[in-house]
Amino acid sequence: MPETDLEAAAEVAERLRLVAADASVPEESGRPVRFTVSIGVSAMVSDGDDIGTLLNAADRALYAAKNAGRNRVQVGALSVPAFGQARCRLSGGRPAAGCRASGA
């Protein structure tokens, strides 16, 4: 999402996750099938970042979300010092993919 910071992108991803969790698709029998999604979010934080680096960070965040229990949004930062540790955390206080744990 061009011109969108990491926090706003994570909020959009969370809204998408909630919509998917509330949706169902009926089987032929009429029984509803429910599903969940895991989403990895990343953002370019410096002029030196490129699309490949961005997608790689988002992919790492996606797999971190799946490994953390699925049905969640995981945020990954490309450059932690430039971006800041505060934005490397998800709800629950766990560090996001590519971020080091801190006491904050």
Side-chain angles (χ1 to χ4, degrees), residues 84-104:
Q85 281 294 317
R87 296 206 180 171
C88 282
R89 296 209 163 268
L90 298 177
S91 59
R94 287 185 283 262
C99 298
R100 62 184 187 277
S102 71

Side-chain angles (χ1 to χ4, degrees), residues 20-36:
D22 287 340
S24 65
V25 177
E27 291 182 338
E28 284 185 29
S29 67
R31 191 177 113 207
V33 175
R34 297 199 174 274
F35 53 94
T36 62

Side-chain angles (χ1 to χ4, degrees), residues 15-96:
R15 288 196 308 267
L16 289 170
R17 187 193 67 76
L18 292 172
V19 167
D22 287 340
S24 65
V25 177
E27 291 182 338
E28 284 185 29
S29 67
R31 191 177 113 207
V33 175
R34 297 199 174 274
F35 53 94
T36 62
V37 297
S38 297
I39 303 171
V41 179
S42 189
M44 291 186 178
V45 294
S46 73
D47 290 338
D49 295 333
D50 62 25
I51 191 70
T53 303
L54 175 69
L55 292 175
N56 190 17
D59 191 53
R60 285 192 315 269
L62 168 63
Y63 282 97
K66 290 180 177 194
N67 290 330
R70 301 179 183 241
N71 191 31
R72 61 191 306 121
V73 172
Q74 184 82 29
V75 177
L78 299 180
S79 177
V80 173
F83 197 65
Q85 281 294 317
R87 296 206 180 171
C88 282
R89 296 209 163 268
L90 298 177
S91 59
R94 287 185 283 262

